[in-house]
Amino acid sequence: EPEVTQTPSHQVTQMGQEVILRCVPISNHLYFYWYRQILGQKVEFLVSFYNNEISEKSEIFDDQFSVERPDGSNFTLKIRSTKLEDSAMYFCASSEIGERNEQFFGPGTRLTVL
Amino acid sequence: AQKITQTQPGMFVQEKEAVTLDCTYDTSDPSYGLFWYKQPSSGEMIFLIYQGSYDQQNATEGRYSLNFQKARKSANLVISASQLGDSAMYFCAMGSSGNTGKLIFGQGTTLQVKP
């Protein structure tokens, strides 16, 4: 069964460093998303991406964040200068259609900023 | 603004019994989708069930069913014949209008199944 994959599973970084989180969505899906979950809290939407551009972003997704689909398979989230409060689980998700189809989530990347 | 509310931080259920996890939502959009996800202790998000706002029948997927009451804006998840492996965090989510498809999540309910 096709699945969303994410690498790395765990990333530890120093405050101020850049990190790139990688995702491979399901191959025939057209919509891609990043969410984050701070430990013990609810899942929060960061950004959605369709047709090679951002379709919506949340207040969390400030200038420190960027997304890219560098080739036909990868979807990346870059945090330019990490802060302590960026420590969270980051989930990538993809779906075939926008709002009415289920989103399939990757296993997540746990980011720890020291 | 859209909002999802899960008022049960934690629930217990005896193995083999049924349990209902509550979810209420608020939206002014005429078209939306409601989702339930399971998050075990390992952390991944597992899709369980989907209900469209225009669907006439309540969604069912195996032991999972969604008690959708549109007028009351509730979308409760019913798990029948609970198993020990059902112990996890459960999130209710709503798909927004428009083509962005972002999901708005509730705070989650931790379910513990007792042997």
Side-chain angles (χ1 to χ4, degrees):
Chain A
E1 187 172 328
E3 58 182 17
V4 177
T5 60
Q6 290 185 245
T7 54
S9 57
H10 192 187
Q11 172 120 25
V12 181
T13 190
Q14 294 291 325
M15 190 170 57
Q17 295 296 305
E18 174 183 287
V19 294
I20 297 176
L21 310 183
R22 291 182 167 79
C23 168
V24 179
I26 295 174
S27 60
N28 63 333
H29 285 185
L30 301 176
Y31 292 81
F32 315 116
Y33 311 86
W34 283 102
Y35 294 85
R36 81 170 186 190
Q37 184 183 30
I38 294 171
L39 186 64
Q41 298 185 23
K42 68 179 180 181
V43 178
E44 300 173 291
F45 167 76
L46 291 178
V47 65
S48 59
F49 192 87
Y50 170 71
N51 200 25
N52 285 321
E53 60 183 22
I54 291 173
S55 47
E56 187 174 356
K57 59 184 180 180
S58 71
E59 293 175 352
I60 303 167
F61 195 88
D62 60 22
D63 293 343
Q64 296 298 316
F65 291 88
S66 62
V67 289
E68 198 176 36
R69 188 157 163 81
D71 53 43
S73 59
N74 290 286
F75 180 50
T76 62
L77 174 69
K78 181 191 292 185
I79 309 175
R80 188 167 24 250
S81 178
T82 50
K83 303 186 284 284
L84 295 176
E85 54 264 38
D86 293 328
S87 294
M89 180 76 93
Y90 288 81
F91 291 103
C92 173
S94 69
S95 68
E96 283 185 272
I97 307 170
E99 68 184 275
R100 293 182 69 88
N101 206 347
E102 60 262 33
Q103 294 179 22
F104 292 90
F105 281 71
T109 293
R110 180 162 296 286
L111 176 65
T112 303
V113 182
L114 303 176
Chain B
Q2 298 183 318
K3 189 176 179 182
I4 290 277
T5 303
Q6 294 179 254
T7 57
Q8 305 155 313
M11 291 279 287
F12 289 93
V13 65
Q14 206 67 36
E15 192 179 7
K16 298 180 185 176
E17 292 186 351
V19 63
T20 298
L21 306 184
D22 294 342
C23 173
T24 58
Y25 61 92
D26 191 20
T27 182
S28 56
D29 294 326
S31 177
Y32 50 89
L34 295 155
F35 304 77
W36 278 92
Y37 286 85
K38 172 184 178 181
Q39 187 178 43
S41 57
S42 50
E44 71 266 33
M45 296 287 285
I46 302 167
F47 166 75
L48 294 178
I49 196 166
Y50 165 82
Q51 179 84 44
S53 59
Y54 288 117
D55 292 344
Q56 296 296 315
Q57 292 189 316
N58 287 342
T60 60
E61 290 284 350
R63 292 186 300 110
Y64 305 108
S65 60
L66 203 151
N67 183 2
F68 181 48
Q69 298 188 39
K70 195 170 182 178
R72 299 178 68 177
K73 294 189 175 179
S74 73
N76 299 338
L77 177 71
V78 180
I79 306 175
S80 63
S82 298
Q83 302 171 355
L84 295 178
D86 294 334
S87 294
M89 177 78 90
Y90 288 81
F91 288 99
C92 179
M94 179 163 57
S96 68
S97 62
N99 290 325
T100 69
K102 73 176 183 185
L103 293 180
I104 298 164
F105 284 82
Q107 304 92 317
T109 295
T110 300
L111 176 66
Q112 292 194 27
V113 181
K114 294 181 175 180

